[in-house]
Amino acid sequence: MPQGSSHRPHRPHRVVVLVDDGVNPFEVGVATEVFGLPRPELDRDGPLYELTLCAPAAGIRMNQGFFTLSGAAGLEACDTADTLIVPGRPDNVVPRTGPVLDAVRAAHARGARIASFCTGAFALAEAGLLDGRRATTHWRWAAEFRALHPRVLLEPDVLYVDEGDVLTAAGSAAALDLSLYLVRRDHGAEIVNAVSRRLVFAAHRDGGQRQFVERPVPEVPDASLAPVLAWAQQRLDGPITVADLAARAAVSPATLHRRFRAELGTTPLAWLLGERVALACRLIERGEERLDVVAHRSGLGSAANLRARLKRETGLSPSAYRRRFGTAVAPGKHS
């Protein structure tokens, strides 16, 4: 399947996770949590995704031998994948087996979307899918990756990279970021927000953010940012400054910046912009057709600014976003 699914697919989008020997269990768990669990809270006729775990052997030993995975499908399951996910493993100097690489190549050749988590990018590079393309992996293995795969345009200091049909995520936690990004790309902001609420995880962190943040130990532990975030989310239709957020949190602007960097990996203004764009997406999905109204209610100001921001964040114009994720547009209405 190409890069996204339709708004109301005839069948669930098929996600297959290729579990190779020595794989990290956390990343397999991320894929299972995001793509494999039922979502009764969404009140939909069917599931968002259909998940299958596949492996090159009957029993797969997980990283450090903590447990062995059994009961997974064979590699032939890759032939049915709309999205094929390759989690990472730490022993990257050991080449993947021929059948594993062949399965990845064949899935990509027939149009499946391919995604890697953490050092799973090594497998994609070995399969030849990343030559001349941008990609990322865990910063700890960046030098090793460059030495083994010099033809790949490695970006070692971002959370994830979207090359359309091939996507790569950095460290293990970035697997969650990329997974939610895929849900958003497939189903829109409304659905991904519901999924992220259940995960108790941020619905969207831009892929260009840094993989890791310096976290100096404060003299007094900071309280959670949740109250000030909730306060701001209720007031996105009006102007909000960093000084406003700092006052609400009863800290200085400098301290607020430090806490945002430490807890969210971004700045207060970048977080606010992301929340405004997410709200604009939800309004469009719910059927609001007047761009000036969407721009005002989301705090983006003008229809022109809304178009620019939506295009940057989603790759779609408001009209294209509405066609993919929104309700039917009345005749004569255009954006």
Side-chain angles (χ1 to χ4, degrees), residues 119-149:
T119 57
F122 281 79
L124 272 52
E126 289 174 41
L129 272 57
L130 298 179
D131 286 352
R133 309 180 81 171
R134 297 180 307 121
T136 192
T137 190
H138 195 291
W139 59 267
R140 182 178 175 186
W141 285 278
E144 182 179 302
F145 186 95
R146 281 199 176 102
L148 289 171
H149 306 291

Side-chain angles (χ1 to χ4, degrees), residues 61-133:
R61 180 178 177 271
M62 308 300 281
N63 184 21
Q64 302 297 313
F66 288 125
F67 58 89
T68 299
L69 175 69
S70 61
L75 290 178
E76 65 275 6
C78 297
D79 298 336
T80 68
D82 298 318
T83 294
L84 177 65
I85 295 176
V86 182
R89 68 180 200 195
D91 52 342
N92 300 300
V93 295
V94 179
R96 275 67 179 172
T97 63
V100 167
L101 298 180
D102 288 344
V104 173
R105 293 187 190 104
H108 180 256
R110 64 171 178 77
R113 182 172 63 187
I114 312 296
S116 67
F117 293 164
C118 196
T119 57
F122 281 79
L124 272 52
E126 289 174 41
L129 272 57
L130 298 179
D131 286 352
R133 309 180 81 171

Side-chain angles (χ1 to χ4, degrees), residues 26-39 51 176 179 195 198-200:
F26 177 84
E27 293 154 26
V28 177
V30 166
T32 303
E33 178 75 26
V34 175
F35 301 107
L37 297 186
R39 305 287 175 192
L51 181 74
L176 265 173
S179 295
V195 174
R198 179 160 169 184
L199 290 169
V200 196

Side-chain angles (χ1 to χ4, degrees), residues 197-278:
R197 281 195 298 270
R198 179 160 169 184
L199 290 169
V200 196
F201 191 78
H204 176 70
R205 289 199 296 168
D206 185 78
Q209 288 180 209
R210 292 174 61 84
Q211 284 190 32
F212 57 96
V213 183
E214 294 182 2
R215 302 183 62 148
V217 178
E219 294 181 7
V220 179
D222 289 329
S224 171
L225 283 172
V228 72
L229 301 184
W231 176 84
Q233 287 167 333
Q234 297 300 315
R235 293 162 175 79
L236 292 174
D237 58 344
I240 302 174
T241 66
V242 174
D244 295 331
L245 295 173
R248 186 70 186 179
V251 297
S252 69
T255 297
L256 186 75
H257 271 278
R258 177 178 57 76
R259 287 175 54 182
F260 263 76
R261 283 291 189 187
E263 296 184 34
L264 300 179
T266 189
T267 66
L269 285 180
W271 176 84
L272 269 174
L273 178 58
E275 290 298 308
R276 293 189 191 283
V277 172

Side-chain angles (χ1 to χ4, degrees), residues 237-317:
D237 58 344
I240 302 174
T241 66
V242 174
D244 295 331
L245 295 173
R248 186 70 186 179
V251 297
S252 69
T255 297
L256 186 75
H257 271 278
R258 177 178 57 76
R259 287 175 54 182
F260 263 76
R261 283 291 189 187
E263 296 184 34
L264 300 179
T266 189
T267 66
L269 285 180
W271 176 84
L272 269 174
L273 178 58
E275 290 298 308
R276 293 189 191 283
V277 172
L279 176 56
C281 290
R282 294 196 298 272
L283 291 171
I284 293 172
E285 290 174 29
R286 293 169 184 171
E288 179 54 68
E289 301 168 17
R290 299 164 295 177
L291 293 191
D292 56 340
V293 172
V294 174
H296 172 73
R297 291 180 59 186
S298 62
L300 290 173
S302 67
N305 189 44
L306 167 63
R307 289 189 184 94
R309 293 296 182 181
L310 196 68
K311 182 72 173 178
R312 181 184 183 277
E313 294 294 325
T314 70
L316 300 171
S317 67

